[in-house]
Amino acid sequence: MVVITHTNAHSAEKRIVFIFGVGLVGSAIVKSLASFEKVDVREQKSDWRILDNFHLQLNDLSNMLPDRNLKRVDWVWSAGKAGFAANENEVDSEFLFYQAFLQEIVRLEEQFGIKEKSFIHLVSSAGGLFEGQRVVSTNAEARPKRPYGHLKFKQENLLQDMFQNRCRIYRPSSIFGFYEKGQRVGLITNLIINTFKSRVTSIYGKMDTQRDYVWVGDVGDFIARKIWFDFNGKKDDSNQIHFLVSAKPTSIFEIIYTIQTITNLKVLQKFDKNFSNSDQIIFSRDIIPEGWSSSSLNTCIRKIYQKAFN
């Protein structure tokens, strides 16, 4: 967990952002938030293995909230060890941690009387919710196919039930970014790293499988701007959910070709015979939110390659 605090030099009012989960997306949110204002950034260790220990750590949050001069507090859930292939037991365990997180927010809002100053943000998953849907547009309904997708669906519903118009949900498609030890980086980054090291990449899909890919820096920047500048005292129910997608479907063949062109190296790959993850997911441009911009795949692949190997 990361705690970001900003104190207004003139009024002494404080803003606090609690970010639970500082992996690929969470760390990008922290980086963007730190660029907006002069803030204090503190990392707090969290125990994601034992629920009782996590409860104890949540109880300590009351010591981090000021008794007065609190202008606003934002709570961000970008945590999650359960990936696309997670089983029922893994997602059930993760949901218990998420549930404890939301329940603690309610307790703290009541204790400090800060309900009107408190806003909650969830990083969900467009891919998990809409897997296999060829055209996801404004009227599309989430129909998750696997435990991971059902987890995201439950998380979204619980958040909206508990906090109504004080929450925001972000649905990024397949995220990729720079390689960082201990973080999931996605297919594209794995392909680049393995190609440079002459290693074979296992791909759970087909050459013509089309997906939607977004750069983690774009995702982090959009969410950070929503945290820091959104709401502004207005209750707007119509923009609770934001699809962070490129709306430019790209096949695995195109990704491999682009990487080989940029690196001038051969991409070694093997395709899983099960093809359990080969469904297409294509998003329409009409679901792209105002203020969202997606970097080009070619530009981002060059960024990863240059940072990693130059």
mmCIF file of all heavy atoms in Angstrom, residues 228-270:
data_model
loop_
_atom_site.group_PDB
_atom_site.id
_atom_site.type_symbol
_atom_site.label_atom_id
_atom_site.label_comp_id
_atom_site.label_asym_id
_atom_site.label_seq_id
_atom_site.Cartn_x
_atom_site.Cartn_y
_atom_site.Cartn_z
ATOM 1 N N TRP A 228 -7.545 13.026 -8.788
ATOM 2 C CA TRP A 228 -7.136 14.349 -8.317
ATOM 3 C C TRP A 228 -8.093 15.459 -8.734
ATOM 4 O O TRP A 228 -8.263 16.445 -8.008
ATOM 5 C CB TRP A 228 -5.726 14.667 -8.820
ATOM 6 C CG TRP A 228 -4.997 15.605 -7.909
ATOM 7 C CD1 TRP A 228 -4.675 16.922 -8.130
ATOM 8 C CD2 TRP A 228 -4.505 15.307 -6.596
ATOM 9 N NE1 TRP A 228 -4.016 17.450 -7.053
ATOM 10 C CE2 TRP A 228 -3.889 16.477 -6.088
ATOM 11 C CE3 TRP A 228 -4.522 14.158 -5.802
ATOM 12 C CZ2 TRP A 228 -3.311 16.534 -4.821
ATOM 13 C CZ3 TRP A 228 -3.933 14.204 -4.551
ATOM 14 C CH2 TRP A 228 -3.335 15.394 -4.063
ATOM 15 N N PHE A 229 -8.735 15.315 -9.889
ATOM 16 C CA PHE A 229 -9.521 16.428 -10.424
ATOM 17 C C PHE A 229 -11.010 16.138 -10.587
ATOM 18 O O PHE A 229 -11.795 17.050 -10.839
ATOM 19 C CB PHE A 229 -8.964 16.862 -11.786
ATOM 20 C CG PHE A 229 -7.512 17.250 -11.745
ATOM 21 C CD1 PHE A 229 -6.556 16.473 -12.378
ATOM 22 C CD2 PHE A 229 -7.100 18.383 -11.054
ATOM 23 C CE1 PHE A 229 -5.212 16.823 -12.339
ATOM 24 C CE2 PHE A 229 -5.766 18.742 -11.011
ATOM 25 C CZ PHE A 229 -4.810 17.958 -11.648
ATOM 26 N N ASP A 230 -11.429 14.870 -10.475
ATOM 27 C CA ASP A 230 -12.831 14.531 -10.711
ATOM 28 C C ASP A 230 -13.686 14.812 -9.483
ATOM 29 O O ASP A 230 -13.180 15.165 -8.427
ATOM 30 C CB ASP A 230 -12.954 13.057 -11.096
ATOM 31 C CG ASP A 230 -14.254 12.766 -11.829
ATOM 32 O OD1 ASP A 230 -14.958 13.713 -12.188
ATOM 33 O OD2 ASP A 230 -14.566 11.573 -12.033
ATOM 34 N N PHE A 231 -14.968 14.595 -9.631
ATOM 35 C CA PHE A 231 -16.001 14.826 -8.620
ATOM 36 C C PHE A 231 -16.240 16.328 -8.428
ATOM 37 O O PHE A 231 -17.269 16.829 -8.824
ATOM 38 C CB PHE A 231 -15.660 14.144 -7.280
ATOM 39 C CG PHE A 231 -15.643 12.650 -7.369
ATOM 40 C CD1 PHE A 231 -14.450 11.954 -7.428
ATOM 41 C CD2 PHE A 231 -16.829 11.941 -7.387
ATOM 42 C CE1 PHE A 231 -14.438 10.578 -7.512
ATOM 43 C CE2 PHE A 231 -16.825 10.557 -7.473
ATOM 44 C CZ PHE A 231 -15.642 9.881 -7.535
ATOM 45 N N ASN A 232 -15.314 17.047 -7.810
ATOM 46 C CA ASN A 232 -15.458 18.495 -7.621
ATOM 47 C C ASN A 232 -16.823 18.892 -7.057
ATOM 48 O O ASN A 232 -17.408 19.901 -7.451
ATOM 49 C CB ASN A 232 -15.238 19.229 -8.959
ATOM 50 C CG ASN A 232 -13.827 19.023 -9.479
ATOM 51 O OD1 ASN A 232 -12.877 19.049 -8.717
ATOM 52 N ND2 ASN A 232 -13.697 18.816 -10.782
ATOM 53 N N GLY A 233 -17.315 18.061 -6.166
ATOM 54 C CA GLY A 233 -18.579 18.379 -5.516
ATOM 55 C C GLY A 233 -19.811 18.031 -6.330
ATOM 56 O O GLY A 233 -20.927 18.178 -5.884
ATOM 57 N N LYS A 234 -19.625 17.555 -7.555
ATOM 58 C CA LYS A 234 -20.760 17.215 -8.404
ATOM 59 C C LYS A 234 -21.068 15.721 -8.307
ATOM 60 O O LYS A 234 -20.168 14.897 -8.284
ATOM 61 C CB LYS A 234 -20.452 17.570 -9.866
ATOM 62 C CG LYS A 234 -20.210 19.045 -10.103
ATOM 63 C CD LYS A 234 -19.875 19.296 -11.555
ATOM 64 C CE LYS A 234 -19.593 20.768 -11.807
ATOM 65 N NZ LYS A 234 -19.237 21.027 -13.210
ATOM 66 N N LYS A 235 -22.340 15.391 -8.260
ATOM 67 C CA LYS A 235 -22.762 13.997 -8.202
ATOM 68 C C LYS A 235 -23.184 13.577 -9.607
ATOM 69 O O LYS A 235 -24.291 13.860 -10.045
ATOM 70 C CB LYS A 235 -23.892 13.813 -7.200
ATOM 71 C CG LYS A 235 -23.440 14.115 -5.768
ATOM 72 C CD LYS A 235 -24.543 13.869 -4.775
ATOM 73 C CE LYS A 235 -24.051 14.100 -3.352
ATOM 74 N NZ LYS A 235 -25.111 13.850 -2.352
ATOM 75 N N ASP A 236 -22.278 12.898 -10.283
ATOM 76 C CA ASP A 236 -22.522 12.534 -11.683
ATOM 77 C C ASP A 236 -22.546 11.021 -11.797
ATOM 78 O O ASP A 236 -21.513 10.368 -11.817
ATOM 79 C CB ASP A 236 -21.419 13.132 -12.567
ATOM 80 C CG ASP A 236 -21.655 12.844 -14.041
ATOM 81 O OD1 ASP A 236 -22.679 12.216 -14.362
ATOM 82 O OD2 ASP A 236 -20.824 13.248 -14.854
ATOM 83 N N ASP A 237 -23.743 10.447 -11.844
ATOM 84 C CA ASP A 237 -23.876 8.994 -11.907
ATOM 85 C C ASP A 237 -23.558 8.442 -13.300
ATOM 86 O O ASP A 237 -23.301 7.254 -13.453
ATOM 87 C CB ASP A 237 -25.302 8.568 -11.534
ATOM 88 C CG ASP A 237 -25.569 8.768 -10.045
ATOM 89 O OD1 ASP A 237 -24.642 8.604 -9.253
ATOM 90 O OD2 ASP A 237 -26.714 9.072 -9.713
ATOM 91 N N SER A 238 -23.608 9.285 -14.303
ATOM 92 C CA SER A 238 -23.506 8.798 -15.674
ATOM 93 C C SER A 238 -22.092 8.391 -16.061
ATOM 94 O O SER A 238 -21.899 7.670 -17.026
ATOM 95 C CB SER A 238 -24.007 9.873 -16.647
ATOM 96 O OG SER A 238 -23.179 11.024 -16.581
ATOM 97 N N ASN A 239 -21.080 8.839 -15.329
ATOM 98 C CA ASN A 239 -19.703 8.546 -15.700
ATOM 99 C C ASN A 239 -18.974 7.744 -14.631
ATOM 100 O O ASN A 239 -17.820 7.986 -14.343
ATOM 101 C CB ASN A 239 -18.943 9.853 -15.973
ATOM 102 C CG ASN A 239 -19.472 10.571 -17.199
ATOM 103 O OD1 ASN A 239 -19.757 9.939 -18.206
ATOM 104 N ND2 ASN A 239 -19.616 11.874 -17.101
ATOM 105 N N GLN A 240 -19.658 6.782 -14.049
ATOM 106 C CA GLN A 240 -19.030 5.973 -13.016
ATOM 107 C C GLN A 240 -18.043 4.978 -13.586
ATOM 108 O O GLN A 240 -17.058 4.637 -12.942
ATOM 109 C CB GLN A 240 -20.088 5.212 -12.214
ATOM 110 C CG GLN A 240 -20.749 6.030 -11.123
ATOM 111 C CD GLN A 240 -21.601 5.152 -10.233
ATOM 112 O OE1 GLN A 240 -22.249 4.225 -10.690
ATOM 113 N NE2 GLN A 240 -21.582 5.423 -8.954
ATOM 114 N N ILE A 241 -18.314 4.459 -14.780
ATOM 115 C CA ILE A 241 -17.502 3.389 -15.365
ATOM 116 C C ILE A 241 -16.772 3.914 -16.597
ATOM 117 O O ILE A 241 -17.378 4.512 -17.487
ATOM 118 C CB ILE A 241 -18.380 2.183 -15.735
ATOM 119 C CG1 ILE A 241 -19.040 1.605 -14.478
ATOM 120 C CG2 ILE A 241 -17.539 1.119 -16.432
ATOM 121 C CD1 ILE A 241 -20.002 0.464 -14.744
ATOM 122 N N HIS A 242 -15.461 3.661 -16.632
ATOM 123 C CA HIS A 242 -14.637 4.140 -17.743
ATOM 124 C C HIS A 242 -13.910 2.963 -18.404
ATOM 125 O O HIS A 242 -13.133 2.260 -17.749
ATOM 126 C CB HIS A 242 -13.614 5.159 -17.248
ATOM 127 C CG HIS A 242 -14.221 6.344 -16.567
ATOM 128 N ND1 HIS A 242 -14.882 7.340 -17.243
ATOM 129 C CD2 HIS A 242 -14.288 6.688 -15.254
ATOM 130 C CE1 HIS A 242 -15.322 8.250 -16.386
ATOM 131 N NE2 HIS A 242 -14.976 7.874 -15.177
ATOM 132 N N PHE A 243 -14.161 2.774 -19.692
ATOM 133 C CA PHE A 243 -13.440 1.772 -20.476
ATOM 134 C C PHE A 243 -12.131 2.388 -20.968
ATOM 135 O O PHE A 243 -12.149 3.361 -21.735
ATOM 136 C CB PHE A 243 -14.265 1.331 -21.685
ATOM 137 C CG PHE A 243 -15.363 0.362 -21.369
ATOM 138 C CD1 PHE A 243 -16.612 0.817 -20.975
ATOM 139 C CD2 PHE A 243 -15.157 -1.009 -21.480
ATOM 140 C CE1 PHE A 243 -17.634 -0.070 -20.691
ATOM 141 C CE2 PHE A 243 -16.168 -1.911 -21.201
ATOM 142 C CZ PHE A 243 -17.414 -1.443 -20.802
ATOM 143 N N LEU A 244 -11.019 1.827 -20.536
ATOM 144 C CA LEU A 244 -9.716 2.321 -20.975
ATOM 145 C C LEU A 244 -9.185 1.346 -22.017
ATOM 146 O O LEU A 244 -8.454 0.397 -21.719
ATOM 147 C CB LEU A 244 -8.774 2.458 -19.772
ATOM 148 C CG LEU A 244 -9.334 3.278 -18.600
ATOM 149 C CD1 LEU A 244 -8.284 3.461 -17.517
ATOM 150 C CD2 LEU A 244 -9.865 4.631 -19.074
ATOM 151 N N VAL A 245 -9.570 1.596 -23.252
ATOM 152 C CA VAL A 245 -9.254 0.687 -24.365
ATOM 153 C C VAL A 245 -8.720 1.505 -25.535
ATOM 154 O O VAL A 245 -8.945 2.714 -25.624
ATOM 155 C CB VAL A 245 -10.502 -0.109 -24.798
ATOM 156 C CG1 VAL A 245 -11.056 -0.920 -23.624
ATOM 157 C CG2 VAL A 245 -11.591 0.805 -25.360
ATOM 158 N N SER A 246 -8.035 0.818 -26.437
ATOM 159 C CA SER A 246 -7.525 1.508 -27.623
ATOM 160 C C SER A 246 -8.548 1.510 -28.753
ATOM 161 O O SER A 246 -8.504 2.368 -29.636
ATOM 162 C CB SER A 246 -6.238 0.843 -28.113
ATOM 163 O OG SER A 246 -6.515 -0.446 -28.651
ATOM 164 N N ALA A 247 -9.460 0.518 -28.732
ATOM 165 C CA ALA A 247 -10.435 0.315 -29.817
ATOM 166 C C ALA A 247 -9.728 0.068 -31.145
ATOM 167 O O ALA A 247 -10.258 0.394 -32.210
ATOM 168 C CB ALA A 247 -11.404 1.497 -29.915
ATOM 169 N N LYS A 248 -8.524 -0.497 -31.059
ATOM 170 C CA LYS A 248 -7.759 -0.861 -32.261
ATOM 171 C C LYS A 248 -7.338 -2.327 -32.117
ATOM 172 O O LYS A 248 -6.247 -2.626 -31.613
ATOM 173 C CB LYS A 248 -6.525 0.022 -32.409
ATOM 174 C CG LYS A 248 -6.844 1.505 -32.567
ATOM 175 C CD LYS A 248 -5.577 2.342 -32.527
ATOM 176 C CE LYS A 248 -5.906 3.829 -32.592
ATOM 177 N NZ LYS A 248 -4.691 4.681 -32.455
ATOM 178 N N PRO A 249 -8.200 -3.258 -32.507
ATOM 179 C CA PRO A 249 -7.886 -4.680 -32.323
ATOM 180 C C PRO A 249 -6.606 -5.077 -33.035
ATOM 181 O O PRO A 249 -6.376 -4.700 -34.190
ATOM 182 C CB PRO A 249 -9.103 -5.392 -32.917
ATOM 183 C CG PRO A 249 -9.761 -4.384 -33.800
ATOM 184 C CD PRO A 249 -9.488 -3.059 -33.188
ATOM 185 N N THR A 250 -5.774 -5.812 -32.321
ATOM 186 C CA THR A 250 -4.464 -6.211 -32.850
ATOM 187 C C THR A 250 -4.299 -7.714 -32.676
ATOM 188 O O THR A 250 -4.509 -8.252 -31.585
ATOM 189 C CB THR A 250 -3.329 -5.485 -32.107
ATOM 190 O OG1 THR A 250 -3.555 -4.075 -32.174
ATOM 191 C CG2 THR A 250 -1.979 -5.813 -32.721
ATOM 192 N N SER A 251 -3.897 -8.390 -33.734
ATOM 193 C CA SER A 251 -3.693 -9.842 -33.666
ATOM 194 C C SER A 251 -2.308 -10.153 -33.104
ATOM 195 O O SER A 251 -1.399 -9.308 -33.138
ATOM 196 C CB SER A 251 -3.845 -10.470 -35.046
ATOM 197 O OG SER A 251 -2.750 -10.087 -35.883
ATOM 198 N N ILE A 252 -2.146 -11.357 -32.618
ATOM 199 C CA ILE A 252 -0.843 -11.792 -32.120
ATOM 200 C C ILE A 252 0.172 -11.785 -33.259
ATOM 201 O O ILE A 252 1.343 -11.446 -33.065
ATOM 202 C CB ILE A 252 -0.962 -13.185 -31.469
ATOM 203 C CG1 ILE A 252 -1.765 -13.072 -30.172
ATOM 204 C CG2 ILE A 252 0.418 -13.780 -31.191
ATOM 205 C CD1 ILE A 252 -2.069 -14.381 -29.496
ATOM 206 N N PHE A 253 -0.274 -12.117 -34.460
ATOM 207 C CA PHE A 253 0.611 -12.059 -35.619
ATOM 208 C C PHE A 253 1.167 -10.643 -35.803
ATOM 209 O O PHE A 253 2.377 -10.461 -36.039
ATOM 210 C CB PHE A 253 -0.139 -12.482 -36.889
ATOM 211 C CG PHE A 253 0.642 -12.247 -38.154
ATOM 212 C CD1 PHE A 253 1.621 -13.144 -38.567
ATOM 213 C CD2 PHE A 253 0.419 -11.105 -38.918
ATOM 214 C CE1 PHE A 253 2.355 -12.909 -39.726
ATOM 215 C CE2 PHE A 253 1.143 -10.868 -40.071
ATOM 216 C CZ PHE A 253 2.115 -11.778 -40.477
ATOM 217 N N GLU A 254 0.318 -9.630 -35.699
ATOM 218 C CA GLU A 254 0.758 -8.236 -35.858
ATOM 219 C C GLU A 254 1.762 -7.843 -34.779
ATOM 220 O O GLU A 254 2.729 -7.124 -35.058
ATOM 221 C CB GLU A 254 -0.448 -7.299 -35.805
ATOM 222 C CG GLU A 254 -1.384 -7.401 -36.991
ATOM 223 C CD GLU A 254 -2.617 -6.540 -36.811
ATOM 224 O OE1 GLU A 254 -3.581 -7.007 -36.189
ATOM 225 O OE2 GLU A 254 -2.607 -5.378 -37.287
ATOM 226 N N ILE A 255 1.539 -8.309 -33.550
ATOM 227 C CA ILE A 255 2.459 -7.994 -32.450
ATOM 228 C C ILE A 255 3.827 -8.593 -32.722
ATOM 229 O O ILE A 255 4.858 -7.923 -32.591
ATOM 230 C CB ILE A 255 1.901 -8.515 -31.113
ATOM 231 C CG1 ILE A 255 0.645 -7.728 -30.729
ATOM 232 C CG2 ILE A 255 2.947 -8.396 -30.005
ATOM 233 C CD1 ILE A 255 -0.107 -8.325 -29.569
ATOM 234 N N ILE A 256 3.845 -9.866 -33.100
ATOM 235 C CA ILE A 256 5.112 -10.546 -33.384
ATOM 236 C C ILE A 256 5.846 -9.863 -34.540
ATOM 237 O O ILE A 256 7.064 -9.622 -34.469
ATOM 238 C CB ILE A 256 4.857 -12.036 -33.696
ATOM 239 C CG1 ILE A 256 4.404 -12.756 -32.418
ATOM 240 C CG2 ILE A 256 6.107 -12.701 -34.277
ATOM 241 C CD1 ILE A 256 3.970 -14.192 -32.648
ATOM 242 N N TYR A 257 5.105 -9.508 -35.580
ATOM 243 C CA TYR A 257 5.712 -8.834 -36.735
ATOM 244 C C TYR A 257 6.318 -7.494 -36.324
ATOM 245 O O TYR A 257 7.443 -7.155 -36.725
ATOM 246 C CB TYR A 257 4.657 -8.631 -37.825
ATOM 247 C CG TYR A 257 5.174 -7.867 -39.029
ATOM 248 C CD1 TYR A 257 5.942 -8.516 -40.006
ATOM 249 C CD2 TYR A 257 4.928 -6.505 -39.167
ATOM 250 C CE1 TYR A 257 6.428 -7.811 -41.099
ATOM 251 C CE2 TYR A 257 5.411 -5.791 -40.251
ATOM 252 C CZ TYR A 257 6.161 -6.450 -41.216
ATOM 253 O OH TYR A 257 6.656 -5.752 -42.292
ATOM 254 N N THR A 258 5.595 -6.721 -35.507
ATOM 255 C CA THR A 258 6.084 -5.411 -35.066
ATOM 256 C C THR A 258 7.351 -5.555 -34.230
ATOM 257 O O THR A 258 8.321 -4.801 -34.403
ATOM 258 C CB THR A 258 5.000 -4.673 -34.250
ATOM 259 O OG1 THR A 258 3.819 -4.543 -35.053
ATOM 260 C CG2 THR A 258 5.481 -3.295 -33.824
ATOM 261 N N ILE A 259 7.362 -6.530 -33.315
ATOM 262 C CA ILE A 259 8.545 -6.742 -32.465
ATOM 263 C C ILE A 259 9.743 -7.154 -33.311
ATOM 264 O O ILE A 259 10.861 -6.653 -33.117
ATOM 265 C CB ILE A 259 8.245 -7.814 -31.388
ATOM 266 C CG1 ILE A 259 7.224 -7.278 -30.386
ATOM 267 C CG2 ILE A 259 9.534 -8.223 -30.661
ATOM 268 C CD1 ILE A 259 6.725 -8.312 -29.403
ATOM 269 N N GLN A 260 9.530 -8.031 -34.264
ATOM 270 C CA GLN A 260 10.639 -8.475 -35.135
ATOM 271 C C GLN A 260 11.159 -7.315 -35.985
ATOM 272 O O GLN A 260 12.371 -7.197 -36.201
ATOM 273 C CB GLN A 260 10.165 -9.631 -36.020
ATOM 274 C CG GLN A 260 9.950 -10.914 -35.238
ATOM 275 C CD GLN A 260 9.586 -12.099 -36.118
ATOM 276 O OE1 GLN A 260 9.790 -13.241 -35.730
ATOM 277 N NE2 GLN A 260 9.040 -11.855 -37.291
ATOM 278 N N THR A 261 10.277 -6.446 -36.434
ATOM 279 C CA THR A 261 10.684 -5.296 -37.253
ATOM 280 C C THR A 261 11.515 -4.320 -36.437
ATOM 281 O O THR A 261 12.535 -3.802 -36.896
ATOM 282 C CB THR A 261 9.439 -4.587 -37.822
ATOM 283 O OG1 THR A 261 8.685 -5.502 -38.618
ATOM 284 C CG2 THR A 261 9.852 -3.388 -38.661
ATOM 285 N N ILE A 262 11.089 -4.056 -35.196
ATOM 286 C CA ILE A 262 11.781 -3.081 -34.349
ATOM 287 C C ILE A 262 13.109 -3.620 -33.827
ATOM 288 O O ILE A 262 14.120 -2.909 -33.797
ATOM 289 C CB ILE A 262 10.873 -2.670 -33.163
ATOM 290 C CG1 ILE A 262 9.710 -1.816 -33.693
ATOM 291 C CG2 ILE A 262 11.652 -1.893 -32.094
ATOM 292 C CD1 ILE A 262 8.644 -1.522 -32.658
ATOM 293 N N THR A 263 13.131 -4.889 -33.410
ATOM 294 C CA THR A 263 14.339 -5.466 -32.798
ATOM 295 C C THR A 263 15.286 -6.101 -33.806
ATOM 296 O O THR A 263 16.448 -6.343 -33.487
ATOM 297 C CB THR A 263 13.958 -6.532 -31.767
ATOM 298 O OG1 THR A 263 13.308 -7.637 -32.441
ATOM 299 C CG2 THR A 263 13.021 -5.964 -30.714
ATOM 300 N N ASN A 264 14.750 -6.376 -34.992
ATOM 301 C CA ASN A 264 15.531 -7.097 -36.006
ATOM 302 C C ASN A 264 15.962 -8.475 -35.485
ATOM 303 O O ASN A 264 17.020 -8.984 -35.840
ATOM 304 C CB ASN A 264 16.766 -6.286 -36.440
ATOM 305 C CG ASN A 264 17.282 -6.740 -37.803
ATOM 306 O OD1 ASN A 264 16.504 -7.220 -38.640
ATOM 307 N ND2 ASN A 264 18.584 -6.609 -38.013
ATOM 308 N N LEU A 265 15.128 -9.051 -34.614
ATOM 309 C CA LEU A 265 15.385 -10.383 -34.060
ATOM 310 C C LEU A 265 14.155 -11.255 -34.298
ATOM 311 O O LEU A 265 13.039 -10.765 -34.424
ATOM 312 C CB LEU A 265 15.650 -10.297 -32.547
ATOM 313 C CG LEU A 265 16.896 -9.523 -32.113
ATOM 314 C CD1 LEU A 265 16.869 -9.305 -30.598
ATOM 315 C CD2 LEU A 265 18.168 -10.254 -32.529
ATOM 316 N N LYS A 266 14.391 -12.561 -34.338
ATOM 317 C CA LYS A 266 13.292 -13.489 -34.547
ATOM 318 C C LYS A 266 12.585 -13.765 -33.219
ATOM 319 O O LYS A 266 13.234 -14.036 -32.207
ATOM 320 C CB LYS A 266 13.800 -14.803 -35.144
ATOM 321 C CG LYS A 266 12.685 -15.804 -35.452
ATOM 322 C CD LYS A 266 13.213 -17.015 -36.176
ATOM 323 C CE LYS A 266 12.107 -18.037 -36.435
ATOM 324 N NZ LYS A 266 10.984 -17.491 -37.206
ATOM 325 N N VAL A 267 11.266 -13.696 -33.219
ATOM 326 C CA VAL A 267 10.477 -14.014 -32.033
ATOM 327 C C VAL A 267 10.232 -15.510 -31.990
ATOM 328 O O VAL A 267 9.641 -16.086 -32.909
ATOM 329 C CB VAL A 267 9.123 -13.260 -32.052
ATOM 330 C CG1 VAL A 267 8.249 -13.718 -30.883
ATOM 331 C CG2 VAL A 267 9.347 -11.762 -31.994
ATOM 332 N N LEU A 268 10.708 -16.141 -30.934
ATOM 333 C CA LEU A 268 10.504 -17.574 -30.759
ATOM 334 C C LEU A 268 9.260 -17.789 -29.906
ATOM 335 O O LEU A 268 9.162 -17.247 -28.803
ATOM 336 C CB LEU A 268 11.723 -18.200 -30.067
ATOM 337 C CG LEU A 268 13.070 -17.969 -30.761
ATOM 338 C CD1 LEU A 268 14.210 -18.542 -29.920
ATOM 339 C CD2 LEU A 268 13.076 -18.575 -32.151
ATOM 340 N N GLN A 269 8.299 -18.547 -30.419
ATOM 341 C CA GLN A 269 7.065 -18.743 -29.680
ATOM 342 C C GLN A 269 6.508 -20.146 -29.895
ATOM 343 O O GLN A 269 6.828 -20.826 -30.868
ATOM 344 C CB GLN A 269 6.008 -17.707 -30.079
ATOM 345 C CG GLN A 269 5.265 -17.987 -31.375
ATOM 346 C CD GLN A 269 6.041 -17.653 -32.608
ATOM 347 O OE1 GLN A 269 6.886 -16.777 -32.584
ATOM 348 N NE2 GLN A 269 5.763 -18.327 -33.705
ATOM 349 N N LYS A 270 5.717 -20.567 -28.930
ATOM 350 C CA LYS A 270 4.953 -21.811 -29.091
ATOM 351 C C LYS A 270 3.538 -21.539 -28.613
ATOM 352 O O LYS A 270 3.319 -20.813 -27.638
ATOM 353 C CB LYS A 270 5.582 -22.968 -28.317
ATOM 354 C CG LYS A 270 5.597 -22.815 -26.811
ATOM 355 C CD LYS A 270 6.157 -24.066 -26.152
ATOM 356 C CE LYS A 270 6.148 -23.928 -24.615
ATOM 357 N NZ LYS A 270 6.681 -25.127 -23.941
#
